[in-house]
Amino acid sequence: MAIKIYTRKIKEWDELPVLVDIATLCCLLHCSDQTLMRHIKAGDFKANKLGRKWLVERDSVREFFDKPYTEVNA
């Protein structure tokens, strides 16, 4: 199974799939997989493990970025 990594700029949330894999989300957010997993374990993103692959819900990523900065770093 091929992994589709988004290399184009995403202009709207609806352009992202409902479930995004870790590799794609790391490319979009310009962060490492360790950083993203730290956020998942902290509960910042809603994610589920399907087999060996973690999938993050698009809406949870949107909610994370809609939070005020002070709430995220509290």
Side-chain angles (χ1 to χ4, degrees):
M1 183 172 134
I3 296 174
K4 182 176 182 180
I5 295 180
Y6 287 80
T7 54
R8 62 184 173 83
K9 290 189 178 184
I10 303 294
K11 296 181 181 177
E12 294 187 26
W13 287 107
D14 294 334
E15 294 179 28
L16 272 177
V18 175
L19 295 173
V20 185
D21 66 338
I22 297 293
T24 302
L25 201 52
C26 286
C27 288
L28 290 172
L29 301 179
H30 301 287
C31 69
S32 68
D33 56 342
Q34 292 95 359
T35 301
L36 194 53
M37 288 306 296
R38 201 173 321 125
H39 281 290
I40 290 170
K41 289 179 182 177
D44 295 331
F45 298 121
K46 295 176 189 168
N48 294 306
K49 192 171 184 181
L50 185 63
R52 294 181 173 180
K53 196 176 200 180
W54 280 95
L55 299 172
V56 180
E57 295 179 16
R58 171 187 62 200
D59 293 337
S60 71
V61 178
R62 184 178 188 172
E63 289 171 6
F64 178 78
F65 284 103
D66 287 343
K67 290 180 187 176
Y69 180 76
T70 54
E71 187 177 331
V72 173
N73 293 316

PDB file of all heavy atoms in Angstrom, residues 11-18 20 25 29 44-46 56-68 72:
ATOM      1  N   LYS A  11      -5.078  24.808   1.637  1.00  0.00           N
ATOM      2  CA  LYS A  11      -5.657  26.133   1.878  1.00  0.00           C
ATOM      3  C   LYS A  11      -6.912  26.073   2.739  1.00  0.00           C
ATOM      4  O   LYS A  11      -7.273  27.053   3.361  1.00  0.00           O
ATOM      5  CB  LYS A  11      -5.963  26.805   0.552  1.00  0.00           C
ATOM      6  CG  LYS A  11      -4.715  27.085  -0.259  1.00  0.00           C
ATOM      7  CD  LYS A  11      -5.033  27.758  -1.551  1.00  0.00           C
ATOM      8  CE  LYS A  11      -3.737  27.986  -2.333  1.00  0.00           C
ATOM      9  NZ  LYS A  11      -3.970  28.583  -3.623  1.00  0.00           N
ATOM     10  N   GLU A  12      -7.581  24.931   2.766  1.00  0.00           N
ATOM     11  CA  GLU A  12      -8.789  24.778   3.566  1.00  0.00           C
ATOM     12  C   GLU A  12      -8.743  23.439   4.286  1.00  0.00           C
ATOM     13  O   GLU A  12      -8.164  22.474   3.790  1.00  0.00           O
ATOM     14  CB  GLU A  12     -10.029  24.845   2.672  1.00  0.00           C
ATOM     15  CG  GLU A  12     -10.225  26.208   2.038  1.00  0.00           C
ATOM     16  CD  GLU A  12     -11.545  26.295   1.303  1.00  0.00           C
ATOM     17  OE1 GLU A  12     -12.477  25.552   1.665  1.00  0.00           O
ATOM     18  OE2 GLU A  12     -11.643  27.106   0.386  1.00  0.00           O
ATOM     19  N   TRP A  13      -9.372  23.388   5.448  1.00  0.00           N
ATOM     20  CA  TRP A  13      -9.365  22.169   6.247  1.00  0.00           C
ATOM     21  C   TRP A  13     -10.021  21.013   5.509  1.00  0.00           C
ATOM     22  O   TRP A  13      -9.623  19.858   5.679  1.00  0.00           O
ATOM     23  CB  TRP A  13     -10.079  22.407   7.574  1.00  0.00           C
ATOM     24  CG  TRP A  13      -9.276  23.243   8.512  1.00  0.00           C
ATOM     25  CD1 TRP A  13      -9.511  24.542   8.849  1.00  0.00           C
ATOM     26  CD2 TRP A  13      -8.094  22.866   9.213  1.00  0.00           C
ATOM     27  NE1 TRP A  13      -8.546  24.984   9.722  1.00  0.00           N
ATOM     28  CE2 TRP A  13      -7.669  23.969   9.970  1.00  0.00           C
ATOM     29  CE3 TRP A  13      -7.357  21.692   9.282  1.00  0.00           C
ATOM     30  CZ2 TRP A  13      -6.549  23.939  10.779  1.00  0.00           C
ATOM     31  CZ3 TRP A  13      -6.237  21.660  10.083  1.00  0.00           C
ATOM     32  CH2 TRP A  13      -5.843  22.772  10.834  1.00  0.00           C
ATOM     33  N   ASP A  14     -11.031  21.306   4.704  1.00  0.00           N
ATOM     34  CA  ASP A  14     -11.755  20.241   4.011  1.00  0.00           C
ATOM     35  C   ASP A  14     -10.912  19.548   2.949  1.00  0.00           C
ATOM     36  O   ASP A  14     -11.301  18.496   2.446  1.00  0.00           O
ATOM     37  CB  ASP A  14     -13.035  20.797   3.387  1.00  0.00           C
ATOM     38  CG  ASP A  14     -14.018  21.263   4.442  1.00  0.00           C
ATOM     39  OD1 ASP A  14     -13.960  20.745   5.569  1.00  0.00           O
ATOM     40  OD2 ASP A  14     -14.848  22.138   4.139  1.00  0.00           O
ATOM     41  N   GLU A  15      -9.768  20.103   2.596  1.00  0.00           N
ATOM     42  CA  GLU A  15      -8.888  19.466   1.627  1.00  0.00           C
ATOM     43  C   GLU A  15      -8.120  18.295   2.243  1.00  0.00           C
ATOM     44  O   GLU A  15      -7.621  17.446   1.520  1.00  0.00           O
ATOM     45  CB  GLU A  15      -7.900  20.485   1.057  1.00  0.00           C
ATOM     46  CG  GLU A  15      -8.559  21.562   0.220  1.00  0.00           C
ATOM     47  CD  GLU A  15      -7.562  22.571  -0.307  1.00  0.00           C
ATOM     48  OE1 GLU A  15      -6.389  22.223  -0.501  1.00  0.00           O
ATOM     49  OE2 GLU A  15      -7.960  23.721  -0.528  1.00  0.00           O
ATOM     50  N   LEU A  16      -8.025  18.260   3.564  1.00  0.00           N
ATOM     51  CA  LEU A  16      -7.355  17.153   4.241  1.00  0.00           C
ATOM     52  C   LEU A  16      -8.312  15.970   4.356  1.00  0.00           C
ATOM     53  O   LEU A  16      -9.514  16.155   4.507  1.00  0.00           O
ATOM     54  CB  LEU A  16      -6.962  17.561   5.663  1.00  0.00           C
ATOM     55  CG  LEU A  16      -5.638  18.233   5.879  1.00  0.00           C
ATOM     56  CD1 LEU A  16      -5.495  18.602   7.347  1.00  0.00           C
ATOM     57  CD2 LEU A  16      -4.494  17.383   5.436  1.00  0.00           C
ATOM     58  N   PRO A  17      -7.785  14.747   4.314  1.00  0.00           N
ATOM     59  CA  PRO A  17      -8.658  13.596   4.572  1.00  0.00           C
ATOM     60  C   PRO A  17      -9.131  13.609   6.024  1.00  0.00           C
ATOM     61  O   PRO A  17      -8.534  14.269   6.881  1.00  0.00           O
ATOM     62  CB  PRO A  17      -7.767  12.394   4.295  1.00  0.00           C
ATOM     63  CG  PRO A  17      -6.391  12.907   4.184  1.00  0.00           C
ATOM     64  CD  PRO A  17      -6.442  14.376   3.971  1.00  0.00           C
ATOM     65  N   VAL A  18     -10.190  12.900   6.306  1.00  0.00           N
ATOM     66  CA  VAL A  18     -10.752  12.869   7.663  1.00  0.00           C
ATOM     67  C   VAL A  18      -9.746  12.279   8.649  1.00  0.00           C
ATOM     68  O   VAL A  18      -9.611  12.763   9.766  1.00  0.00           O
ATOM     69  CB  VAL A  18     -12.067  12.064   7.685  1.00  0.00           C
ATOM     70  CG1 VAL A  18     -12.588  11.914   9.088  1.00  0.00           C
ATOM     71  CG2 VAL A  18     -13.100  12.738   6.798  1.00  0.00           C
ATOM     72  N   VAL A  20      -5.674  11.430   9.059  1.00  0.00           N
ATOM     73  CA  VAL A  20      -4.367  11.750   8.479  1.00  0.00           C
ATOM     74  C   VAL A  20      -3.310  10.917   9.184  1.00  0.00           C
ATOM     75  O   VAL A  20      -3.296  10.842  10.419  1.00  0.00           O
ATOM     76  CB  VAL A  20      -4.043  13.255   8.651  1.00  0.00           C
ATOM     77  CG1 VAL A  20      -2.762  13.617   7.945  1.00  0.00           C
ATOM     78  CG2 VAL A  20      -5.196  14.114   8.159  1.00  0.00           C
ATOM     79  N   LEU A  25       1.052  14.251   8.386  1.00  0.00           N
ATOM     80  CA  LEU A  25       0.854  15.362   9.315  1.00  0.00           C
ATOM     81  C   LEU A  25       2.182  16.007   9.704  1.00  0.00           C
ATOM     82  O   LEU A  25       2.261  17.229   9.834  1.00  0.00           O
ATOM     83  CB  LEU A  25       0.102  14.869  10.547  1.00  0.00           C
ATOM     84  CG  LEU A  25      -0.624  15.918  11.369  1.00  0.00           C
ATOM     85  CD1 LEU A  25      -1.530  16.782  10.505  1.00  0.00           C
ATOM     86  CD2 LEU A  25      -1.407  15.272  12.470  1.00  0.00           C
ATOM     87  N   LEU A  29       2.902  19.933   9.149  1.00  0.00           N
ATOM     88  CA  LEU A  29       3.162  20.778  10.316  1.00  0.00           C
ATOM     89  C   LEU A  29       4.640  21.117  10.494  1.00  0.00           C
ATOM     90  O   LEU A  29       4.991  21.878  11.382  1.00  0.00           O
ATOM     91  CB  LEU A  29       2.648  20.089  11.588  1.00  0.00           C
ATOM     92  CG  LEU A  29       1.161  19.765  11.623  1.00  0.00           C
ATOM     93  CD1 LEU A  29       0.811  19.081  12.927  1.00  0.00           C
ATOM     94  CD2 LEU A  29       0.328  21.017  11.423  1.00  0.00           C
ATOM     95  N   ASP A  44      -3.552  16.343  22.879  1.00  0.00           N
ATOM     96  CA  ASP A  44      -3.793  17.502  22.025  1.00  0.00           C
ATOM     97  C   ASP A  44      -4.485  17.117  20.719  1.00  0.00           C
ATOM     98  O   ASP A  44      -5.245  17.904  20.160  1.00  0.00           O
ATOM     99  CB  ASP A  44      -2.476  18.213  21.701  1.00  0.00           C
ATOM    100  CG  ASP A  44      -1.827  18.800  22.942  1.00  0.00           C
ATOM    101  OD1 ASP A  44      -2.571  19.154  23.885  1.00  0.00           O
ATOM    102  OD2 ASP A  44      -0.594  18.904  22.970  1.00  0.00           O
ATOM    103  N   PHE A  45      -4.203  15.921  20.229  1.00  0.00           N
ATOM    104  CA  PHE A  45      -4.817  15.416  19.003  1.00  0.00           C
ATOM    105  C   PHE A  45      -5.525  14.105  19.307  1.00  0.00           C
ATOM    106  O   PHE A  45      -5.024  13.288  20.078  1.00  0.00           O
ATOM    107  CB  PHE A  45      -3.762  15.146  17.916  1.00  0.00           C
ATOM    108  CG  PHE A  45      -2.998  16.353  17.479  1.00  0.00           C
ATOM    109  CD1 PHE A  45      -1.628  16.395  17.601  1.00  0.00           C
ATOM    110  CD2 PHE A  45      -3.638  17.450  16.931  1.00  0.00           C
ATOM    111  CE1 PHE A  45      -0.903  17.492  17.185  1.00  0.00           C
ATOM    112  CE2 PHE A  45      -2.931  18.555  16.521  1.00  0.00           C
ATOM    113  CZ  PHE A  45      -1.566  18.586  16.651  1.00  0.00           C
ATOM    114  N   LYS A  46      -6.694  13.908  18.699  1.00  0.00           N
ATOM    115  CA  LYS A  46      -7.390  12.633  18.808  1.00  0.00           C
ATOM    116  C   LYS A  46      -6.819  11.714  17.740  1.00  0.00           C
ATOM    117  O   LYS A  46      -6.843  12.032  16.562  1.00  0.00           O
ATOM    118  CB  LYS A  46      -8.887  12.823  18.598  1.00  0.00           C
ATOM    119  CG  LYS A  46      -9.539  13.647  19.664  1.00  0.00           C
ATOM    120  CD  LYS A  46     -10.991  13.878  19.355  1.00  0.00           C
ATOM    121  CE  LYS A  46     -11.566  14.882  20.329  1.00  0.00           C
ATOM    122  NZ  LYS A  46     -12.874  15.347  19.899  1.00  0.00           N
ATOM    123  N   VAL A  56      -4.623  10.378  12.782  1.00  0.00           N
ATOM    124  CA  VAL A  56      -5.065  11.535  13.551  1.00  0.00           C
ATOM    125  C   VAL A  56      -6.306  12.117  12.878  1.00  0.00           C
ATOM    126  O   VAL A  56      -6.365  12.250  11.657  1.00  0.00           O
ATOM    127  CB  VAL A  56      -3.951  12.606  13.611  1.00  0.00           C
ATOM    128  CG1 VAL A  56      -4.399  13.816  14.404  1.00  0.00           C
ATOM    129  CG2 VAL A  56      -2.688  12.017  14.210  1.00  0.00           C
ATOM    130  N   GLU A  57      -7.291  12.478  13.693  1.00  0.00           N
ATOM    131  CA  GLU A  57      -8.514  13.071  13.153  1.00  0.00           C
ATOM    132  C   GLU A  57      -8.257  14.513  12.714  1.00  0.00           C
ATOM    133  O   GLU A  57      -7.659  15.299  13.450  1.00  0.00           O
ATOM    134  CB  GLU A  57      -9.615  13.050  14.200  1.00  0.00           C
ATOM    135  CG  GLU A  57     -10.062  11.664  14.582  1.00  0.00           C
ATOM    136  CD  GLU A  57     -11.141  11.677  15.634  1.00  0.00           C
ATOM    137  OE1 GLU A  57     -11.768  12.741  15.871  1.00  0.00           O
ATOM    138  OE2 GLU A  57     -11.356  10.616  16.244  1.00  0.00           O
ATOM    139  N   ARG A  58      -8.707  14.837  11.519  1.00  0.00           N
ATOM    140  CA  ARG A  58      -8.533  16.178  10.966  1.00  0.00           C
ATOM    141  C   ARG A  58      -9.132  17.245  11.878  1.00  0.00           C
ATOM    142  O   ARG A  58      -8.524  18.281  12.122  1.00  0.00           O
ATOM    143  CB  ARG A  58      -9.195  16.250   9.582  1.00  0.00           C
ATOM    144  CG  ARG A  58      -9.255  17.658   9.011  1.00  0.00           C
ATOM    145  CD  ARG A  58     -10.047  17.730   7.738  1.00  0.00           C
ATOM    146  NE  ARG A  58     -11.433  17.346   7.980  1.00  0.00           N
ATOM    147  CZ  ARG A  58     -12.271  16.946   7.027  1.00  0.00           C
ATOM    148  NH1 ARG A  58     -11.876  16.851   5.797  1.00  0.00           N
ATOM    149  NH2 ARG A  58     -13.496  16.619   7.323  1.00  0.00           N
ATOM    150  N   ASP A  59     -10.318  16.973  12.421  1.00  0.00           N
ATOM    151  CA  ASP A  59     -10.981  17.969  13.256  1.00  0.00           C
ATOM    152  C   ASP A  59     -10.212  18.260  14.541  1.00  0.00           C
ATOM    153  O   ASP A  59     -10.241  19.378  15.047  1.00  0.00           O
ATOM    154  CB  ASP A  59     -12.404  17.521  13.581  1.00  0.00           C
ATOM    155  CG  ASP A  59     -13.288  17.487  12.343  1.00  0.00           C
ATOM    156  OD1 ASP A  59     -12.956  18.196  11.360  1.00  0.00           O
ATOM    157  OD2 ASP A  59     -14.290  16.756  12.346  1.00  0.00           O
ATOM    158  N   SER A  60      -9.501  17.273  15.065  1.00  0.00           N
ATOM    159  CA  SER A  60      -8.724  17.523  16.279  1.00  0.00           C
ATOM    160  C   SER A  60      -7.520  18.415  15.986  1.00  0.00           C
ATOM    161  O   SER A  60      -7.113  19.213  16.831  1.00  0.00           O
ATOM    162  CB  SER A  60      -8.277  16.211  16.927  1.00  0.00           C
ATOM    163  OG  SER A  60      -7.287  15.570  16.180  1.00  0.00           O
ATOM    164  N   VAL A  61      -6.962  18.293  14.782  1.00  0.00           N
ATOM    165  CA  VAL A  61      -5.854  19.178  14.390  1.00  0.00           C
ATOM    166  C   VAL A  61      -6.384  20.609  14.262  1.00  0.00           C
ATOM    167  O   VAL A  61      -5.758  21.564  14.721  1.00  0.00           O
ATOM    168  CB  VAL A  61      -5.211  18.712  13.062  1.00  0.00           C
ATOM    169  CG1 VAL A  61      -4.111  19.662  12.636  1.00  0.00           C
ATOM    170  CG2 VAL A  61      -4.685  17.295  13.195  1.00  0.00           C
ATOM    171  N   ARG A  62      -7.555  20.733  13.680  1.00  0.00           N
ATOM    172  CA  ARG A  62      -8.164  22.065  13.528  1.00  0.00           C
ATOM    173  C   ARG A  62      -8.462  22.688  14.895  1.00  0.00           C
ATOM    174  O   ARG A  62      -8.177  23.862  15.121  1.00  0.00           O
ATOM    175  CB  ARG A  62      -9.440  21.941  12.705  1.00  0.00           C
ATOM    176  CG  ARG A  62     -10.090  23.251  12.422  1.00  0.00           C
ATOM    177  CD  ARG A  62     -11.306  23.071  11.561  1.00  0.00           C
ATOM    178  NE  ARG A  62     -11.797  24.361  11.142  1.00  0.00           N
ATOM    179  CZ  ARG A  62     -12.748  24.529  10.273  1.00  0.00           C
ATOM    180  NH1 ARG A  62     -13.315  23.498   9.699  1.00  0.00           N
ATOM    181  NH2 ARG A  62     -13.146  25.731   9.941  1.00  0.00           N
ATOM    182  N   GLU A  63      -9.014  21.893  15.801  1.00  0.00           N
ATOM    183  CA  GLU A  63      -9.305  22.394  17.148  1.00  0.00           C
ATOM    184  C   GLU A  63      -8.034  22.835  17.865  1.00  0.00           C
ATOM    185  O   GLU A  63      -8.031  23.826  18.588  1.00  0.00           O
ATOM    186  CB  GLU A  63     -10.014  21.314  17.966  1.00  0.00           C
ATOM    187  CG  GLU A  63     -11.422  21.038  17.525  1.00  0.00           C
ATOM    188  CD  GLU A  63     -12.014  19.814  18.208  1.00  0.00           C
ATOM    189  OE1 GLU A  63     -11.357  19.244  19.113  1.00  0.00           O
ATOM    190  OE2 GLU A  63     -13.122  19.427  17.823  1.00  0.00           O
ATOM    191  N   PHE A  64      -6.954  22.092  17.673  1.00  0.00           N
ATOM    192  CA  PHE A  64      -5.681  22.437  18.301  1.00  0.00           C
ATOM    193  C   PHE A  64      -5.211  23.818  17.852  1.00  0.00           C
ATOM    194  O   PHE A  64      -4.744  24.618  18.661  1.00  0.00           O
ATOM    195  CB  PHE A  64      -4.628  21.377  17.950  1.00  0.00           C
ATOM    196  CG  PHE A  64      -3.269  21.662  18.504  1.00  0.00           C
ATOM    197  CD1 PHE A  64      -2.975  21.419  19.828  1.00  0.00           C
ATOM    198  CD2 PHE A  64      -2.267  22.172  17.686  1.00  0.00           C
ATOM    199  CE1 PHE A  64      -1.712  21.675  20.341  1.00  0.00           C
ATOM    200  CE2 PHE A  64      -1.003  22.430  18.186  1.00  0.00           C
ATOM    201  CZ  PHE A  64      -0.728  22.185  19.519  1.00  0.00           C
ATOM    202  N   PHE A  65      -5.336  24.106  16.565  1.00  0.00           N
ATOM    203  CA  PHE A  65      -4.880  25.395  16.061  1.00  0.00           C
ATOM    204  C   PHE A  65      -5.868  26.522  16.326  1.00  0.00           C
ATOM    205  O   PHE A  65      -5.499  27.686  16.253  1.00  0.00           O
ATOM    206  CB  PHE A  65      -4.547  25.299  14.569  1.00  0.00           C
ATOM    207  CG  PHE A  65      -3.245  24.614  14.319  1.00  0.00           C
ATOM    208  CD1 PHE A  65      -3.209  23.306  13.871  1.00  0.00           C
ATOM    209  CD2 PHE A  65      -2.053  25.261  14.580  1.00  0.00           C
ATOM    210  CE1 PHE A  65      -2.003  22.662  13.662  1.00  0.00           C
ATOM    211  CE2 PHE A  65      -0.839  24.627  14.383  1.00  0.00           C
ATOM    212  CZ  PHE A  65      -0.817  23.327  13.926  1.00  0.00           C
ATOM    213  N   ASP A  66      -7.097  26.191  16.659  1.00  0.00           N
ATOM    214  CA  ASP A  66      -8.075  27.218  17.000  1.00  0.00           C
ATOM    215  C   ASP A  66      -7.980  27.652  18.456  1.00  0.00           C
ATOM    216  O   ASP A  66      -8.531  28.677  18.838  1.00  0.00           O
ATOM    217  CB  ASP A  66      -9.499  26.730  16.706  1.00  0.00           C
ATOM    218  CG  ASP A  66      -9.793  26.684  15.216  1.00  0.00           C
ATOM    219  OD1 ASP A  66      -9.044  27.314  14.443  1.00  0.00           O
ATOM    220  OD2 ASP A  66     -10.781  26.024  14.830  1.00  0.00           O
ATOM    221  N   LYS A  67      -7.260  26.861  19.288  1.00  0.00           N
ATOM    222  CA  LYS A  67      -7.102  27.206  20.704  1.00  0.00           C
ATOM    223  C   LYS A  67      -6.203  28.419  20.844  1.00  0.00           C
ATOM    224  O   LYS A  67      -5.258  28.590  20.074  1.00  0.00           O
ATOM    225  CB  LYS A  67      -6.458  26.054  21.477  1.00  0.00           C
ATOM    226  CG  LYS A  67      -7.312  24.862  21.661  1.00  0.00           C
ATOM    227  CD  LYS A  67      -6.534  23.815  22.435  1.00  0.00           C
ATOM    228  CE  LYS A  67      -7.282  22.519  22.501  1.00  0.00           C
ATOM    229  NZ  LYS A  67      -6.485  21.482  23.177  1.00  0.00           N
ATOM    230  N   PRO A  68      -6.451  29.248  21.853  1.00  0.00           N
ATOM    231  CA  PRO A  68      -5.527  30.341  22.145  1.00  0.00           C
ATOM    232  C   PRO A  68      -4.169  29.786  22.557  1.00  0.00           C
ATOM    233  O   PRO A  68      -4.080  28.710  23.143  1.00  0.00           O
ATOM    234  CB  PRO A  68      -6.173  31.096  23.297  1.00  0.00           C
ATOM    235  CG  PRO A  68      -7.583  30.626  23.349  1.00  0.00           C
ATOM    236  CD  PRO A  68      -7.626  29.272  22.705  1.00  0.00           C
ATOM    237  N   VAL A  72      -2.891  26.259  24.981  1.00  0.00           N
ATOM    238  CA  VAL A  72      -2.081  25.155  24.475  1.00  0.00           C
ATOM    239  C   VAL A  72      -0.852  24.951  25.353  1.00  0.00           C
ATOM    240  O   VAL A  72      -0.475  23.826  25.651  1.00  0.00           O
ATOM    241  CB  VAL A  72      -1.640  25.416  23.004  1.00  0.00           C
ATOM    242  CG1 VAL A  72      -0.667  24.358  22.534  1.00  0.00           C
ATOM    243  CG2 VAL A  72      -2.848  25.477  22.102  1.00  0.00           C
TER     244      VAL A  72
END
